[in-house]
């Protein structure tokens, strides 16, 4: 494993049939390439869609903090829970559906905040979501702690800047894996 390339989430066949997981052919994601050619698509969205179409993988490093915050766990895209249980850092199809669902709900909830996803807009969407739920005060305290933990020593927020459409494509990758019974191998 080359540790300098960052985290990649690779679509693989589930369950494995031998010692190693077999990667899914990129042809399973070829339709993502059409998104990259859309005339008004944001450049990061197009780049992500094209990479998925060509490789069947997501360069996940940039999304790890955001996904962990949205889903309320640590190391989601690293498949750390699976690694502890199975010694293989794999997200099974049900886990892919869970990730996709969380991202899809966030993308939908972010619509009123526009297409630019920042730390502040993520906080606003999440506050709206937990304020309407059960145990709202407890959830808001938990959220404030998570948000504070993401700030640096000087109190500066992470410099997140994602297109909402980019996160929709990210969700689409995990949704495709879930629907077709693929798993995702965390390679880093």
């Amino acid at each position: 494993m080359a540790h300098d390339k960052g985290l990649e989430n690779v679509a693989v066949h589930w369950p494995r049939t031998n010692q190693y997981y077999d990667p899914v052919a990129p042809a399973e994601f070829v339709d993502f390439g059409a998104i990259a050619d859309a005339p008004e698509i944001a450049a990061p969205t197009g780049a992500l869609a094209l990479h998925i179409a060509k490789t069947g993988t997501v360069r996940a490093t940039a999304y790890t903090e955001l996904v962990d915050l949205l889903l309320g766990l640590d190391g989601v895209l690293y498949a750390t829970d699976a690694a502890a249980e199975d010694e293989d850092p794999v997200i099974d199809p049900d886990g892919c559906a869970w990730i996709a669902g969380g991202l899809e709900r966030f993308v939908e909830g972010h619509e009123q905040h526009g297409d630019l996803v920042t730390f502040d807009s993520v906080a606003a969407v999440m506050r709206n979501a937990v304020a309407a739920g059960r145990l709202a005060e407890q959830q808001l305290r938990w959220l404030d702690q998570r948000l504070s933990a993401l700030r640096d020593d000087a109190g500066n927020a992470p410099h997140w800047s994602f297109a909402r459409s980019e996160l929709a494509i990210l969700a689409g990758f995990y949704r495709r894996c879930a629907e077709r019974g693929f798993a995702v191998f965390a390679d880093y």
Side-chain angles (χ1 to χ4, degrees), residues 62-159:
Y63 308 107
T64 58
E65 284 182 336
L66 174 63
V67 171
D68 286 354
L69 176 63
L70 294 177
L71 299 178
L73 297 174
D74 292 326
V76 172
L77 299 182
Y78 284 93
T80 53
D81 286 341
E85 295 170 8
D86 307 327
E87 298 182 19
D88 287 331
V90 175
I91 304 165
D92 66 21
D94 290 339
C96 289
W98 176 68
I99 292 168
L103 286 167
E104 290 161 352
R105 284 187 299 280
F106 172 76
V107 167
E108 182 180 315
H110 197 280
E111 186 172 12
Q112 68 186 17
H113 297 278
D115 194 46
L116 182 63
V117 176
T118 65
F119 182 79
D120 291 335
S121 69
V122 169
V125 170
M126 291 192 69
R127 279 194 177 93
N128 287 341
V130 299
R134 290 182 41 218
L135 305 171
E137 285 184 38
Q138 179 182 357
Q139 292 294 323
L140 286 169
R141 280 193 305 272
W142 170 86
L143 177 59
D144 286 339
Q145 290 173 350
R146 292 288 296 222
L147 293 170
S148 292
L150 289 169
R151 295 182 179 277
D152 65 17
D153 292 339
N156 299 314
H159 297 286

Side-chain angles (χ1 to χ4, degrees), residues 25-79:
E28 295 284 351
F29 299 93
V30 73
D31 58 313
F32 280 67
I35 297 164
D37 294 334
E40 295 179 12
I41 199 76
T45 304
L48 176 61
L50 190 60
H51 183 74
I52 291 170
K54 288 183 175 181
T55 65
T57 67
V58 167
R59 291 184 178 128
T61 304
Y63 308 107
T64 58
E65 284 182 336
L66 174 63
V67 171
D68 286 354
L69 176 63
L70 294 177
L71 299 178
L73 297 174
D74 292 326
V76 172
L77 299 182
Y78 284 93

